[in-house]
């Protein structure tokens, strides 16, 4: 018996012997008088064993077998999965290993084994986020992120585009470096699958905006002097797409947060799929976009 059960037995025994009243026993045990009467009757009929819960010493009916726990821990420490954050690993277990359990249960198994999630939550910084656009296609945020996407020490540039209203990825393309070709590829993906957007929000990279654009004086602008568009800028003009330059990384926060998520997930997905080249990666990305959007996109 536990100490709590021993204390109950002592109080109930005093009640049975007539040393205390039902009311006093209830106050002592922090129980209702009805519960105390039930305990008294049970102890009188069955003895102290009545106070021991019938499931004491038994494994819970829905307990996860020890072998399954050991398999989950071994998988998390294995090469394909070791860099996956807990939430991503939870999804991968169901998709690739056929192991389905609640996230809270998985979290308990891994933390009790001394495993920490590679992705830790940042300290919350209160700030006002710009409201999403009300309709899909009104604004596309576009950017590129250099990172060790293929799990090697070599960095590649992932070009990406995300719809502001829904958070859908509408284009992904991996190249050696950030370049015009990469941005034309994701623009082609947008046009082919979603149509022509109203505007594109991008940084002030020379691909999007001539370095001379910021050098024009007010007088020169009033005199009608203009700077020639870049190749990308001319293409957007032909399509009737407004190209909006962002003044800071924070201004295009949705695509910046997209990189955080993809940097945590994509290298793991590439590793599981056995991807080692840019060609393989770009073929995989065309399918991965739909998988990502099913998890993270929202209604406009």
């Amino acid at each position: 018996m536990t100490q709590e059960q021993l204390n109950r037995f002592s109080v109930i025994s005093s009640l049975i012997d007539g040393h205390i009243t039902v009311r006093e026993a209830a106050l002592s045990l922090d129980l209702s008088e009805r519960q105390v009467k039930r305990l008294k009757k049970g102890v009188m009929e069955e003895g102290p064993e009545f106070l021991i819960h019938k499931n004491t010493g038994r494994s819970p009916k829905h307990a996860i077998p020890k072998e399954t726990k050991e398999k989950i821990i071994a998988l998390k420490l294995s090469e394909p999965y070791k860099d996956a954050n807990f939430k991503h690993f939870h999804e991968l277990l169901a998709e690739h290993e056929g192991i389905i359990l609640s996230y809270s249960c998985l979290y308990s198994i891994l933390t009790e084994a001394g495993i920490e999630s590679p992705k830790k939550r940042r300290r919350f910084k209160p700030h006002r986020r710009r409201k999403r656009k009300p309709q899909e296609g009104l604004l596309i945020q576009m950017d590129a992120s250099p990172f060790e996407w293929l799990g090697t020490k070599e960095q590649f540039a992932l070009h990406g585009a995300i719809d502001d209203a829904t958070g859908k990825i509408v284009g992904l393309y991996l190249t050696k470096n950030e370049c015009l070709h990469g941005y034309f590829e994701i623009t082609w993906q947008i046009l082919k699958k979603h149509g022509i957007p109203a505007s594109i929000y991008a940084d002030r990279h020379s691909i999007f905006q001539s370095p001379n654009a910021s050098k024009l004086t007010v007088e020169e602008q009033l005199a009608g002097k203009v700077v020639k568009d870049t190749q990308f800028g001319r293409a957007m003009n032909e399509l009737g797409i407004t190209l909006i330059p962002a003044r800071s990384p924070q201004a295009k926060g949705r695509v910046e947060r997209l990189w955080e998520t993809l940097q945590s997930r994509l290298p793991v997905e590439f590793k599981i799929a056995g991807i080692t080249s840019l060609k393989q990666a770009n073929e995989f990305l065309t399918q991965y976009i739909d998988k990502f959007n099913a998890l993270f996109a929202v209604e406009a």
Side-chain angles (χ1 to χ4, degrees), residues 250-263:
Q250 292 77 16
K252 45 187 180 65
R254 300 202 204 289
V255 73
E256 294 293 339
R257 288 189 292 276
L258 172 65
W259 295 138
E260 289 184 19
T261 305
L262 290 180
Q263 285 171 8

Side-chain angles (χ1 to χ4, degrees), residues 18-62:
H19 299 308
I20 59 175
T21 65
V22 171
R23 182 176 178 78
E24 288 171 335
L27 289 171
S28 177
L29 296 176
D30 193 24
L31 297 173
S32 68
E33 292 184 20
R34 182 178 178 182
Q35 287 175 300
V36 168
K37 289 176 182 178
R38 183 181 65 83
L39 292 178
K40 177 185 175 182
K41 181 182 178 183
V43 171
M44 290 177 69
E45 293 178 354
E46 300 179 27
E49 292 82 4
F50 180 78
L51 299 176
I52 302 174
H53 197 282
K54 301 302 182 288
N55 286 332
T56 300
R58 298 181 184 177
S59 296
K61 185 176 180 180
H62 301 294

Side-chain angles (χ1 to χ4, degrees), residues 225-237:
K225 186 174 181 180
V226 295
V227 174
K228 289 184 178 180
D229 287 329
T230 62
Q231 288 187 54
F232 190 87
R234 286 201 301 275
M236 297 307 101
N237 280 337

Side-chain angles (χ1 to χ4, degrees), residues 81-281:
Y81 299 114
K82 66 179 182 179
D83 295 324
N85 64 61
F86 284 6
K87 181 62 178 171
H88 190 198
F89 181 57
H90 180 244
E91 297 162 11
L92 295 172
L93 280 178
E95 182 180 355
H96 297 285
E97 306 296 337
I99 299 175
I100 300 172
L101 70 169
S102 69
Y103 176 75
S104 59
C105 183
L106 174 68
Y107 183 88
S108 297
I109 292 170
L110 296 179
T111 52
E112 285 170 10
I115 301 172
E116 293 186 358
S117 180
K119 186 178 182 181
K120 294 184 178 179
R121 292 188 178 274
R122 290 184 175 182
R123 185 178 176 183
F124 177 70
K125 295 181 180 179
H127 66 279
R128 289 184 63 186
R129 287 187 180 178
R130 178 181 55 76
K131 287 182 67 175
R132 293 179 182 271
K133 293 295 183 184
Q135 186 177 337
E136 188 172 350
L138 288 181
L139 181 69
I140 300 295
Q141 293 192 22
M142 193 174 282
D143 195 22
S145 174
F147 190 69
E148 297 173 4
W149 295 105
L150 298 183
T152 62
K153 293 183 178 179
E154 189 176 5
Q155 289 197 345
F156 297 95
L158 181 61
H159 300 70
I162 184 171
D163 181 78
D164 187 82
T166 62
K168 284 183 183 178
I169 294 177
V170 289
L172 286 176
Y173 194 79
L174 197 63
T175 60
K176 179 73 175 175
N177 301 295
E178 185 175 3
C179 60
L180 177 64
H181 172 64
Y183 284 115
F184 272 156
E185 282 290 342
I186 60 172
T187 304
W188 172 239
Q189 290 177 26
I190 296 168
L191 300 176
K192 186 169 60 173
K193 193 167 183 178
H194 303 281
I196 300 175
S199 59
I200 288 176
Y201 200 44
D203 58 26
R204 293 172 178 264
H205 194 287
S206 57
I207 289 173
F208 303 110
Q209 187 180 60
S210 169
N212 297 322
S214 60
K215 296 178 183 178
L216 286 180
T217 65
V218 175
E219 290 77 13
E220 288 174 329
Q221 293 179 47
L222 290 173
K225 186 174 181 180
V226 295
V227 174
K228 289 184 178 180
D229 287 329
T230 62
Q231 288 187 54
F232 190 87
R234 286 201 301 275
M236 297 307 101
N237 280 337
E238 288 287 332
L239 291 165
I241 299 172
T242 303
L243 194 55
I244 305 171
R247 297 188 177 277
S248 68
Q250 292 77 16
K252 45 187 180 65
R254 300 202 204 289
V255 73
E256 294 293 339
R257 288 189 292 276
L258 172 65
W259 295 138
E260 289 184 19
T261 305
L262 290 180
Q263 285 171 8
S264 171
R265 288 171 170 259
L266 259 185
V268 176
E269 296 277 359
F270 283 155
K271 193 178 293 183
I272 293 171
I275 289 167
T276 56
S277 69
L278 288 178
K279 183 180 179 182
Q280 290 175 325

